[in-house]
Amino acid sequence: MKHIAIITGASSGMGREFALTATQHGSYDEIWVIARNENNLEQLRPQIDVPIRVFPLDLSKDESFKIIAGRLREEEVNVSLLINASGYGIFDSFESTKMSDAEGMIDLNCKALVKMTKTALPYMHAGSHMIQIASMAALQPVPYVNVYAATKAFVLSFSRALNSELESRYIHCMAVCPYWTKTRFFDRAVNADKDPVVKKYIVMYKPEQIVKKAWKDMARDKDVSIYGIVANGQAALCKLLPHGAVMKIWKKQQKLM
Ligand SMILES: NC(=O)c1ccc[n+]([C@@H]2O[C@H](COP(=O)([O-])OP(=O)(O)OC[C@H]3O[C@@H](n4cnc5c(N)ncnc54)[C@H](OP(=O)(O)O)[C@@H]3O)[C@@H](O)[C@H]2O)c1
């Protein structure tokens, strides 16, 4: 039986970094990579030392999951690793955010992540791992990054509860909560024609740093992975302070009040 890893969002950013480093942290016969940009996925092929299977799919569409479910059914595989890294955000007031974007974030960040997890889980066994990419935005409500932050709160809650449910099957599920990380994420999140919502990025991490810590935390069966002093400091503050105070600090810091 083949042991495979499935990685969504592998065409760019953190998903790509997970794909490039996966075989250093586990043994896989194949890596299945999923995203819309086929060229970017194909570019991974010569850089990964096991065969990769490219699925150029839009995960906001239901038929994409039928394709993955069909391939899983046809081939006898054991999904040893699932990483859900596809996602996007929009930085804007809720009033100015287009309905299509509000729905799009919910569809991709929440619905697609749940559907991919549901699709892969029957093929997972004791010792399998799941990594769900949430965000530091999951730890607090974030005015002007409102819907995005709410989708990531969903991911964090879903992931932690699932880890607890799957404990008896020895399947591990971990949420990764990256702080600002330098990827193409900002090309879509920031509207260049408007006054930016986020004016101050206290620190900008590299995808390599987030992913390296995630692999380490996965090996330790942690349920949440947070990289960096600034990020861990903020996580502690979010636990200590009321959310009202945390939102005020955010708005002051970004000159939104
Ligand atoms: N960068 C940050 O500061 C930051 C912080 C916290 C959390 N995150 C989260 O980290 C995850 C990875 O983002 P990133 O920072 O690495 O950004 P990124 O470079 O923009 O990567 C996003 C990935 O999602 C894929 N994707 C987007 N729409 C899709 C769709 N409809 N169907 C399938 N795949 C789709 C993209 O591929 P295609 O365009 O080829 O489809 C790309 O591979 C996301 O969930 C993001 O919310 C990012």
Side-chain angles (χ1 to χ4, degrees):
M1 188 183 261
K2 261 193 279 188
H3 288 257
I4 67 161
I6 301 178
I7 305 175
T8 78
S11 64
S12 164
M14 286 178 266
R16 180 175 179 279
E17 181 61 22
F18 274 117
L20 289 174
T21 53
T23 57
Q24 295 165 26
H25 304 275
S27 177
Y28 311 106
D29 299 306
E30 267 179 21
I31 298 181
W32 294 12
V33 290
I34 306 171
R36 293 166 305 173
N37 189 318
E38 188 171 6
N39 277 346
N40 286 356
L41 292 176
E42 281 295 345
Q43 281 170 20
L44 291 168
R45 208 178 281 285
Q47 301 183 67
I48 297 179
D49 52 10
V50 295
I52 67 161
R53 198 84 74 85
V54 165
F55 292 90
L57 298 172
D58 183 340
L59 292 178
S60 54
K61 295 191 173 147
D62 279 347
E63 56 262 34
S64 300
F65 297 93
K66 290 194 185 122
I67 292 168
I68 300 292
R71 298 310 284 265
L72 286 169
R73 218 174 18 247
E74 281 159 23
E75 309 188 20
E76 280 188 16
V77 293
N78 183 347
V79 178
S80 305
L81 173 70
L82 168 66
I83 300 179
N84 278 309
S86 283
Y88 82 103
I90 296 290
F91 300 165
D92 207 343
S93 68
F94 178 66
E95 280 185 300
S96 306
T97 302
K98 284 188 241 144
M99 192 59 208
S100 57
D101 270 325
E103 274 182 335
M105 285 184 274
I106 294 166
D107 282 349
L108 184 64
N109 301 358
C110 303
K111 203 170 146 197
L113 180 138
V114 170
K115 286 187 102 162
M116 187 53 70
T117 304
K118 193 85 177 147
T119 304
L121 188 54
Y123 301 89
M124 301 186 103
H125 299 281
S128 292
H129 292 273
M130 278 182 233
I131 295 181
Q132 315 282 11
I133 311 298
S135 167
M136 285 297 293
L139 305 182
Q140 60 173 91
V142 188
Y144 301 92
V145 187
N146 186 346
V147 178
Y148 175 72
T151 65
K152 293 301 184 178
F154 174 95
V155 173
L156 179 60
S157 176
F158 167 73
S159 179
R160 295 191 79 183
L162 187 61
N163 186 46
S164 176
E165 283 184 38
L166 295 177
E167 212 171 36
S168 55
R169 286 184 58 196
Y170 301 100
I171 296 173
H172 169 238
C173 180
M174 179 177 80
V176 174
C177 293
Y179 198 80
W180 305 125
T181 308
K182 196 166 173 43
T183 66
R184 279 178 27 212
F185 174 85
F186 299 96
D187 298 352
R188 203 166 173 186
V190 177
N191 183 341
D193 299 329
K194 279 188 165 179
D195 218 21
V197 165
V198 186
K199 296 165 195 79
K200 188 171 177 181
Y201 296 92
I202 298 177
V203 65
M204 184 65 78
Y205 293 119
K206 292 184 189 145
E208 292 85 344
Q209 294 173 300
I210 308 292
V211 169
K212 193 174 169 193
K213 174 76 161 65
W215 288 130
K216 207 168 161 186
D217 289 340
M218 183 186 90
R220 291 174 179 159
D221 283 344
K222 288 184 84 169
D223 72 342
V224 180
S225 175
I226 297 179
Y227 173 79
I229 293 170
V230 175
N232 278 289
Q234 184 167 317
L237 276 182
C238 286
K239 274 190 193 153
L240 281 172
L241 297 176
H243 279 166
V246 176
M247 286 193 282
K248 253 187 200 155
I249 294 171
W250 158 256
K251 286 208 288 183
K252 271 201 177 142
Q253 188 184 61
Q254 303 302 341
K255 302 191 175 10
L256 296 165
M257 62 187 298

